[in-house]
């Protein structure tokens, strides 16, 4: 195995040395002592191989030497100080210099330091806007002083024991114990964040979500996102979309209760309309028949499902389980909760919130988000769709009802009857509250025109 090399770069006084001291378990020091030349420490990883971490000077005179050194680096952290606008502006030059040296295996992460500050000058939104021009660069915000998010940075570095400094975990545990009396009082929120960071460092808590490259048996690759607790208060859909590079604004077509696979031409019309409007499609992640049409058109198809409700495709059998995650999806979200008891029907809140975030996209130059349109197509074939439908009604989105399922057929039977009785009272109440529009047709051209119309000229957002 080639010796892994990691470097921290950035302007002077942004916090590079403080991060490295933190990794070594050393106490945070308010006094600043500039790094005047490239320094390194050797660190042992779990398979007894060593990695080298480089601390680098930030002054212009040494920049050429630092950039030259990056040719052999595997992971580089570009740091800036959220209090210092100049240091943020300098990351543009750092990233461009790194790009000249980059190799296919190099990982680059932009790190916002000192986020505990009350004098923050660079917002998270500004950083996200900037990083859009660097799709292969990750983004992270940390505070060495409070420990906030340092566990996330540590997860990117496979360290266990710094040579000559004893065990990292024991060293860190001792330092934190010695600092308990001397620590200034913190707000309850900040104490909680610090405790969480310390716990994650020592116990390696499971992250709320992870992204994988999933290879279908056909050879197509999708981004697979596993979410361990969809109800966690600190779960950020925006962060996940940023990781997936889905941070533009997209019109969204969401399929509610889609399950049957016998509507080929109908789905072809949806795919065609989405192709013409640059819209993405969100569905359950299991096969409906729309997959082959979005593949032909190159449309993004995003599936959302409880993890225990779906199965991975099996290449060795001719049987296709109806609950297999299906080829044609470009992104699949598999959800769980603390009880590990997610079933279809419980994913509705996340699915609608995902649609909203996809439509919002990034913050524009005027500081506002350009929220594009969301429409829902109700097929009502899959069990448990009423919760998701309720969320769509609460969001004030237009809902196109399609004939074919028992409840949807009742909608057409009672279309002009405000006093109609539905076999499901909850469905009847939602009909009265929401913006429902019936399409008593499965014709490809009809649904294409409906979708195109609602995504372009209607007043709904």
């Amino acid at each position: 195995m080639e010796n892994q090399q990691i470097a921290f770069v950035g302007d002077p006084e942004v916090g590079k040395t403080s991060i490295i001291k933190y990794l070594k378990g050393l106490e945070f020091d308010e006094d600043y002592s500039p790094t005047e030349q490239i320094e390194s420490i050797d660190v042992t990883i779990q398979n007894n191989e060593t990695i080298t971490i480089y601390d680098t000077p930030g002054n212009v005179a040494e920049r050429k030497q630092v950039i030259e050194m990056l040719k052999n680096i595997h992971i580089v952290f570009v740091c800036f100080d959220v209090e210092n606008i100049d240091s943020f502006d300098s990351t543009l030059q750092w990233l461009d210099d790194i790009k000249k040296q980059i190799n296919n295996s190099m990982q680059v992460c932009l790190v916002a330091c000192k986020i505990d500050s009350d004098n923050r000058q660079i917002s998270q939104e500004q950083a996200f806007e900037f990083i859009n021009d660097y799709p292969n660069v990750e983004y992270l915000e940390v505070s060495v002083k409070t420990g906030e998010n340092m566990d996330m940075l540590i997860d990117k570095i496979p360290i266990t024991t710094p040579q000559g400094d004893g065990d990292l975990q024991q060293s860190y545990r001792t330092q934190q114990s010695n600092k308990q009396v001397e620590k200034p009082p913190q707000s309850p929120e900040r104490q909680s964040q610090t405790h969480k960071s310390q716990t994650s460092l020592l116990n390696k808590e499971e992250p709320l979500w992870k992204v994988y490259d999933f290879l279908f048996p056909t050879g197509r690759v999708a981004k697979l996102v596993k979410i361990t607790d969809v109800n966690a208060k600190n779960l950020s859909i925006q962060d996940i979309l940023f990781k997936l590079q889905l941070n533009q604004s997209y019109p969204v077509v969401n399929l509610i209760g889609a399950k049957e696979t016998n509507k080929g031409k109908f789905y072809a019309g949806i795919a065609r309309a989405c192709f013409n409007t640059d819209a993405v499609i969100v569905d359950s992640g299991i096969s409906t028949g729309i997959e082959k049409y979005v593949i032909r058109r190159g449309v993004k198809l995003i599936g959302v499902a409880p993890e225990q409700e779906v199965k991975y495709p099996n290449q060795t059998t001719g049987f296709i389980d109806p609950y297999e995650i299906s080829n044609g999806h470009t992104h699949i979200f598999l959800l769980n909760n603390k009880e590990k008891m997610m079933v279809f029907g419980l994913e509705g809140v996340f699915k609608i919130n995902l649609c909203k975030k996809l439509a919002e996209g990034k913050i524009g130059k005027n500081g506002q988000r350009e929220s594009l349109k969301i429409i829902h197509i109700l097929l009502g074939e899959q069990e448990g769709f009423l919760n998701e439908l309720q969320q769509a009604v609460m969001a004030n989105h237009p809902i196109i009802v399609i004939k074919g399922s028992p409840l949807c057929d009742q909608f057409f039977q009672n279309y002009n009857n405000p006093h109609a009785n539905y076999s499901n009272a909850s469905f009847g109440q939602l009909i009265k509250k929401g913006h429902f529009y019936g399409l008593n047709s499965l014709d490809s051209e009809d649904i294409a025109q409906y979708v195109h119309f609602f995504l372009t000229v209607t007043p709904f957002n």
Side-chain angles (χ1 to χ4, degrees):
M1 174 181 174
E2 184 181 1
N3 182 38
Q4 296 288 304
Q5 301 188 61
I6 298 168
F8 288 84
V9 303
D11 279 10
E13 301 184 54
V14 296
K16 304 184 297 293
T17 302
S18 294
I19 291 176
I20 294 174
K21 286 182 177 179
Y22 185 103
L23 300 179
K24 295 172 66 177
L26 300 179
E27 185 176 359
F28 176 75
D29 189 355
E30 292 277 7
D31 295 332
Y32 170 68
S33 178
T35 302
E36 297 181 354
Q37 59 184 5
I38 297 174
E39 300 176 357
S40 66
I41 61 169
D42 289 329
V43 176
T44 302
I45 58 179
Q46 292 179 355
N47 59 0
N48 292 325
E49 298 289 342
T50 60
I51 62 175
T52 301
I53 298 181
Y54 289 92
D55 189 7
T56 64
N59 57 71
V60 176
E62 301 294 333
R63 183 188 290 263
K64 184 176 180 180
Q65 182 181 358
V66 172
I67 295 301
E68 182 68 22
M69 177 266 294
L70 292 179
K71 290 181 178 179
N72 300 315
I73 295 297
H74 300 88
I75 307 174
V76 58
F77 294 91
V78 181
C79 303
F80 70 92
D81 178 358
V82 297
E83 299 176 313
N84 186 333
I85 295 177
D86 289 339
S87 74
F88 179 66
D89 291 340
S90 292
T91 59
L92 176 63
Q93 185 62 55
W94 281 108
L95 290 174
D96 285 346
D97 287 340
I98 289 168
K99 189 176 181 180
K100 297 173 185 176
Q101 307 295 337
I102 201 165
N103 52 67
N104 291 332
S105 61
M106 179 186 282
Q107 301 175 45
V108 183
C109 182
L110 182 65
V111 182
C113 301
K114 307 180 186 180
I115 60 172
D116 58 278
S117 171
D118 294 327
N119 187 36
R120 180 165 183 162
Q121 302 296 310
I122 306 299
S123 69
Q124 188 178 75
E125 288 77 10
Q126 286 174 290
F128 280 154
E129 177 75 19
F130 169 74
I131 206 71
N132 281 333
D133 294 330
Y134 298 88
N136 296 320
V137 177
E138 297 183 71
Y139 177 66
L140 188 61
E141 298 197 335
V142 303
S143 167
V144 176
K145 186 175 183 178
T146 66
E148 185 174 354
N149 292 343
M150 287 300 295
D151 54 323
M152 297 174 65
L153 188 147
I154 288 170
D155 283 342
K156 300 180 184 299
I157 307 175
I159 56 178
T160 55
T161 309
Q163 292 182 353
D165 288 310
D167 179 77
L168 172 67
Q169 296 181 357
Q170 182 59 45
S171 174
Y172 182 81
R173 192 180 296 114
T174 300
Q175 290 294 337
Q176 295 305 313
S177 176
N178 291 341
K179 288 192 288 183
Q180 291 304 310
V181 178
E182 303 172 7
K183 255 187 168 179
Q186 295 176 317
S187 68
E189 179 184 4
R190 188 63 67 192
Q191 287 176 343
S192 174
Q193 292 168 336
T194 304
H195 173 73
K196 180 181 183 300
S197 298
Q198 295 174 10
T199 303
S200 298
L201 174 65
L202 300 177
N203 299 329
K204 289 292 182 182
E205 289 180 345
E206 185 179 15
L208 284 177
W209 55 272
K210 287 186 177 180
V211 177
Y212 304 86
D213 286 322
F214 182 78
L215 179 66
F216 284 100
T218 58
R220 295 187 179 275
V221 178
K223 289 294 184 182
L224 178 68
V225 182
K226 286 192 174 187
I227 298 178
T228 57
D229 184 7
V230 73
N231 299 316
K233 292 182 179 180
N234 57 336
L235 176 66
S236 171
I237 297 177
Q238 201 71 54
D239 287 349
I240 300 174
L241 294 180
F242 178 78
K243 175 70 173 180
L244 296 173
Q245 299 177 32
L246 290 174
N247 51 336
Q248 302 295 319
S249 297
Y250 302 95
V252 180
V253 175
N254 179 44
L255 306 184
I256 299 180
K259 182 180 179 183
E260 303 300 329
T261 58
N262 57 355
K263 297 182 175 65
K265 292 184 178 179
F266 172 80
Y267 284 127
I270 296 176
R272 182 168 67 253
C274 290
F275 171 76
N276 291 333
T277 56
D278 293 326
V280 300
I281 301 173
V282 180
D283 70 0
S284 65
I286 60 178
S287 181
T288 61
I290 199 171
E291 296 83 4
K292 59 184 178 182
Y293 300 105
V294 299
I295 289 174
R296 291 176 186 174
R297 295 282 183 175
V299 174
K300 291 182 174 63
L301 179 61
I302 302 173
V304 179
E307 184 170 13
Q308 72 176 30
E309 289 278 77
V310 298
K311 300 178 182 178
Y312 294 104
N314 192 335
Q315 190 175 17
T316 61
T317 177
F319 171 71
I320 300 177
D321 193 293
Y323 286 93
E324 285 183 0
I325 53 178
S326 58
N327 177 33
H329 286 84
T330 56
H331 303 78
I332 300 173
F333 288 77
L334 297 184
L335 313 182
N336 231 314
N337 56 13
K338 289 184 178 179
E339 293 75 27
K340 308 295 183 184
M341 292 294 289
M342 285 285 290
V343 295
F344 273 118
L346 298 181
E347 82 285 2
V349 174
F350 178 88
K351 195 160 175 254
I352 299 301
N353 285 336
L354 174 64
C355 291
K356 293 177 182 178
K357 294 300 182 182
L358 285 165
E360 282 181 4
K362 63 183 180 180
I363 294 179
K365 294 181 180 179
N366 60 357
Q368 302 295 321
R369 293 188 187 275
E370 181 189 7
S371 185
L372 299 183
K373 297 181 186 298
I374 302 171
I375 66 171
H376 305 277
I377 300 178
L378 175 62
L379 294 108
E381 302 158 346
Q382 177 75 275
E383 293 181 3
F385 71 86
L386 284 177
N387 185 33
E388 183 179 346
L389 184 63
Q390 181 184 38
Q391 296 296 319
V393 169
M394 291 171 59
N396 207 36
H397 296 157
I399 300 161
I400 303 172
V401 184
I402 306 300
K403 69 174 185 178
S405 68
L407 283 183
C408 290
D409 287 347
Q410 285 184 34
F411 172 84
F412 291 100
Q413 294 167 10
N414 301 302
Y415 193 73
N416 293 316
N417 183 3
H419 305 292
N421 292 319
Y422 289 86
S423 60
N424 187 299
S426 297
F427 182 66
Q429 290 298 316
L430 290 174
I431 293 295
K432 294 177 182 178
K433 296 178 181 179
H435 303 286
F436 288 83
Y437 303 87
L439 177 59
N440 195 10
S441 168
L442 294 178
D443 182 78
S444 174
E445 191 60 34
D446 289 343
I447 186 60
Q449 290 182 10
Y450 252 61
V451 171
H452 194 274
F453 173 76
F454 278 99
L455 288 181
T456 53
V457 301
T458 58
F460 296 105
N461 286 325

